Amino acid sequence: MAILGGARVSAEDRGWLERTVELALANVAGGGGPFGALVVRDGVLLAEGANRVTASLDPTAHAEVEAIRAACRAVGDFSLAGATLYTSCEPCPLCLSAALWARVDRVVYAADREDAARGGFDDSAFHELFRRDRSEWHLQIDGHRIDVAPAPFDAWLALESRTDY
């Protein structure tokens, strides 16, 4: 076992990480961004993803998000509990949030945020932004509570057939 970022990684982890880098390189060759990701559970590959932001004109089409979406479709569930998200680069806040919502058990990455910044993908401003009070953000966020605001949640809670998550 080797140590990566203070954690122990196995030979199997290294193999999956190498696959993410292969995906990233293939994506660059195809005109996409330099990111690849995959989701594995119980040693079985559930799905792969590559950065499709510019190809799909979708700013949320990061490799990790694409892999998570595909894995959820593959297993027929929004929960990826028990799975590991492998990615060619340290996840940005968007991708980390997606991993949390998908309930993956573990995230393992190869390159770090400094490597990404060197390549022109510097997300340090986002990491820093989340540390600050919203009043200091460049993005204006205004909450305005209206009388019917809680109605969708009341309807949700009253729905006996809902799927809790």
Side-chain angles (χ1 to χ4, degrees):
M1 265 198 194
I3 298 194
L4 175 71
R8 295 196 175 273
V9 294
S10 66
E12 182 180 10
D13 290 331
R14 291 176 64 83
W16 292 122
L17 287 174
E18 288 172 6
R19 177 65 187 141
T20 66
V21 173
E22 291 170 6
L23 287 169
L25 288 169
N27 202 48
V28 169
F35 302 96
L38 46 89
V39 178
V40 174
R41 183 162 50 196
D42 298 324
V44 176
L45 175 65
L46 299 180
E48 297 178 337
N51 183 284
R52 307 299 304 154
V53 170
T54 57
S56 64
L57 304 178
D58 178 355
T60 68
H62 292 202
E64 296 90 338
V65 173
E66 293 291 298
I68 288 168
R69 288 173 179 161
C72 287
R73 285 191 300 270
V75 301
D77 197 346
F78 58 84
S79 174
L80 296 174
T84 298
L85 172 65
Y86 291 95
T87 180
S88 63
C89 188
E90 183 177 358
C92 73
L94 168 72
C95 296
L96 204 49
S97 295
L100 289 166
W101 277 110
R103 295 167 177 80
V104 299
D105 284 8
R106 185 173 174 232
V107 175
V108 182
Y109 61 88
D112 62 24
R113 64 178 79 168
E114 286 79 25
D115 294 312
R118 187 178 58 78
F121 299 89
D122 189 354
D123 61 4
S124 61
F126 298 128
H127 291 283
E128 177 57 35
L129 181 68
F130 291 128
R131 290 185 188 105
R132 296 194 321 239
D133 187 86
R134 279 193 186 174
S135 65
E136 299 176 27
W137 288 22
H138 69 280
L139 172 66
Q140 185 173 334
I141 301 174
D142 296 320
H144 182 76
R145 187 160 184 90
I146 58 175
D147 291 342
V148 294
F153 298 104
D154 295 338
W156 171 256
L157 291 170
L159 185 67
E160 290 184 26
S161 63
R162 74 179 179 270
T163 301
D164 289 327
Y165 61 98

